[in-house]
Every structure is written in structure tokens, then in C-alpha cells.
Amino acid sequence: MQEITTIGLDIAKSVFQVHGIDVSGAVIVRRQLRRRQVLPFFRKLPACVIGIEACATAHHWGRELVALGHEVKLMPPRYVKPYVKRNKNDAADAEAICEAVTRPTMRFVPIKSPEQQSVLMLHRTRQLFVRQRTALINAIRAHLAEFGIVAGVGRNGVETLLGLIAEGEDDRIPPAAHACLMALAAQLAMVKRQILEADRRVLRRF
């Protein structure tokens, strides 16, 4: 049997698909691997080129396989898609990845280190908090508008509404509604603190 030189690896949460070829392009292996089988399988192979789509967990697996002596190349999924020749499934995806990784014009994504991924996570977490802040402000405005209470746009308008909620003296707001608004206001305050903390962490990295 010829030695495997190139592998397309379709990664997933639990079941992975392998498509391996030799130097002539002949298919040597097509098989599924459970998550626990992935590293033992590649540990037994001679060093080869492994193509993986740059999706969730790809950088983790890239680092693990590089540590075993393989050359790992990550590719944007949109660049792999044109190489899918039949109905989309794990086996077809692995075959497409295997073909795409051999193309001389293919664009590859550098494997991120844990530190680089941590920085990316920090920015994404902050973005999530910002979206949550916007959603909470919109909810508070919408709920109060149902009782005829509105305020100007911008930060000052929001602070006016939050002050009204904190006072709890507006007879237009029923007790049950006020309890909900207090919960939203508390959540908004927490998210604002989280955004400030994320900003501090970002600044500490520069």
C-alpha cells in the first residue's frame, strides 16, 4: 500500500471524517473517527499534509496535529465549497478538503496560538456584551412606551428612564411591570460593568 501523503479532515463535535490519498492521488483511506480516536490515528501515520476547514475548533486540532509532526493547512470553508463534487455530507466534505489543500492557488489561514485565540475571545466577548446592552436598552424603552413613558434618544434619555425605574413612584407603571423593569435595569448595570472590565483588559494588552 502506498504511503498517505495528503489528508482531508472534516472535523466535528464527535465524529470526524478522513479522506487520505497517496502521491499519485489514489485514495488510500476513507473512514470515520470518533473524537477519542483522532490523535491515536494520526500519531501512527508518517508526516503528511492535513487540510482542515478553518471553522470551530480547527485551530485546536491544527496545533495538536502539528505537535505530532504533520503539516496542517487551514482553509476558509468558502474556498473549499467549490470542490464538493456530490451531495454534501461528511465524506464528500473530507474529499473536497483533500483536493482543495493540494491546489497551488489555495489561500490558507495561519493556525492561531492559544494566546491569539484568547485575544480574539476577549474582543468577541466584548462585542456580545455590547449587543446585550443594546437589547436591554431597547427592551426598557419599548416596555415603558407601552405605558406612555418615553424619553429622548441617546444616553441622557436612557438615564432618565433608569432614574424613573429606580424611584418607583410613577403610578403609570403597575407593580408587576415595575418588577420586570427593575430586573432589566439590574441586568443592564451588570452588562455595563462587564463592558468596562473588557475595555480595561483590552487596554492592558497594548
Side-chain angles (χ1 to χ4, degrees), residues 6-43:
T6 307
I7 287 178
L9 178 63
D10 185 53
I11 60 177
K13 289 183 179 179
S14 55
V15 179
F16 295 58
Q17 184 73 37
V18 172
H19 184 96
I21 61 175
D22 64 15
V23 67
S24 69
V27 178
I28 304 300
V29 60
R30 283 195 191 100
R31 63 168 295 183
Q32 288 185 338
L33 297 172
R34 294 288 179 181
R35 185 183 181 89
R36 66 179 182 276
Q37 298 173 315
V38 174
L39 293 181
F41 173 81
F42 283 99
R43 191 174 289 117

Side-chain angles (χ1 to χ4, degrees), residues 42-80:
F42 283 99
R43 191 174 289 117
K44 296 176 182 178
L45 293 182
C48 62
V49 174
I50 302 172
I52 303 175
E53 287 186 323
C55 54
T57 75
H59 294 276
H60 162 73
W61 288 110
R63 293 191 298 268
E64 293 290 324
L65 295 171
V66 166
L68 296 180
H70 299 290
E71 181 182 0
V72 179
K73 296 184 176 182
L74 305 186
M75 298 166 288
R78 66 181 182 277
Y79 293 162
V80 176

Side-chain angles (χ1 to χ4, degrees), residues 71-91:
E71 181 182 0
V72 179
K73 296 184 176 182
L74 305 186
M75 298 166 288
R78 66 181 182 277
Y79 293 162
V80 176
K81 187 176 180 180
Y83 296 96
V84 179
K85 299 175 182 176
R86 45 203 167 94
N87 293 335
K88 183 174 174 60
N89 53 52
D90 291 346

Side-chain angles (χ1 to χ4, degrees), residues 145-162:
E146 293 295 332
F147 301 106
I149 302 171
V150 296
V153 298
R155 182 178 300 177
N156 290 338
V158 174
E159 293 302 322
T160 297
L161 296 177
L162 292 174

